[in-house]
Amino acid sequence: MNHVMKICLGAALSLVTLVPVAQAEDFKLSNNQRIACSRGLAPGKLNTATCKSYAYIFNVKTSEYFRCQVTLALTRDNKEVINVQSDGSCAKKPRIFDTDSNYSFDATETEPPNTNSFFGTGGYAVWASDNTARKVRGCIIITSGLGSDISKCLDMKFE
């Protein structure tokens, strides 16, 4: 009886270790990472450069995705680097499609602030397609500046 318990426990452990591997294969990194840097002058002839980069991790089965951001800020004077700070995290976003399937995904960020941008940075577009059917959805997400994102997704028509 003890031998049977060991076999069952071994089988259960091997099954538990296989489940995360299968789930990890469902996630893909988007092909469209961007980096944007800005720099500024501070009192005392200090220079500060701040760089941000975004990437998207997409679940090809559920169409759920994560928006990830990493930031590096570097402060220096004319002779040396005085301070380096970095930060980063991923935020879970809702599903693009309601049902599970086999999806492809890509995303892009808005341009840095300039005279043509109304809202500045904080917006992005995502595209997802169903690999098993002719189904494509495009979404634009813009930060309203009031604490919430405005999101609109449309299904593409094939004419």
Side-chain angles (χ1 to χ4, degrees):
M1 184 69 172
N2 195 10
H3 186 64
V4 172
M5 290 291 283
K6 286 182 183 179
I7 291 173
C8 289
L9 182 60
L13 284 175
S14 65
L15 190 62
V16 168
T17 58
L18 287 177
V19 170
V21 171
Q23 290 175 346
E25 291 176 0
D26 290 343
F27 288 92
K28 303 289 182 195
L29 179 67
S30 72
N31 296 322
N32 202 356
Q33 299 87 37
R34 296 283 191 245
I35 186 168
C37 296
S38 64
R39 52 175 223 195
L41 296 173
K45 296 185 180 181
L46 296 178
N47 294 315
T48 301
T50 303
C51 294
K52 292 182 180 181
S53 182
Y54 304 92
Y56 295 85
I57 306 296
F58 181 70
N59 187 316
V60 297
K61 182 177 179 185
T62 66
S63 79
E64 180 179 74
Y65 68 101
F66 294 82
R67 182 176 179 271
C68 302
Q69 173 182 316
V70 63
T71 304
L72 175 78
L74 170 79
T75 304
R76 68 176 187 91
D77 62 13
N78 290 335
K79 297 178 183 176
E80 64 182 337
V81 173
I82 296 171
N83 189 17
V84 177
Q85 295 178 338
S86 60
D87 191 19
S89 65
C90 294
K92 185 178 180 180
K93 300 297 180 178
R95 292 174 70 129
I96 296 173
F97 293 104
D98 294 333
T99 58
D100 289 357
S101 186
N102 179 9
Y103 297 106
S104 293
F105 175 88
D106 208 354
T108 187
E109 296 287 326
T110 56
E111 295 294 322
N114 58 43
T115 56
N116 296 325
S117 64
F118 184 72
F119 290 104
T121 59
Y124 58 97
V126 298
W127 286 89
S129 64
D130 189 333
N131 296 329
T132 63
R134 190 168 61 178
K135 189 174 186 180
V136 177
R137 187 166 286 172
C139 305
I140 294 181
I141 300 92
I142 296 179
T143 302
S144 68
L146 303 174
S148 63
D149 291 346
I150 307 300
S151 175
K152 183 65 179 175
C153 295
L154 292 174
D155 288 329
M156 298 296 108
K157 296 176 185 174
F158 292 86
E159 299 173 357

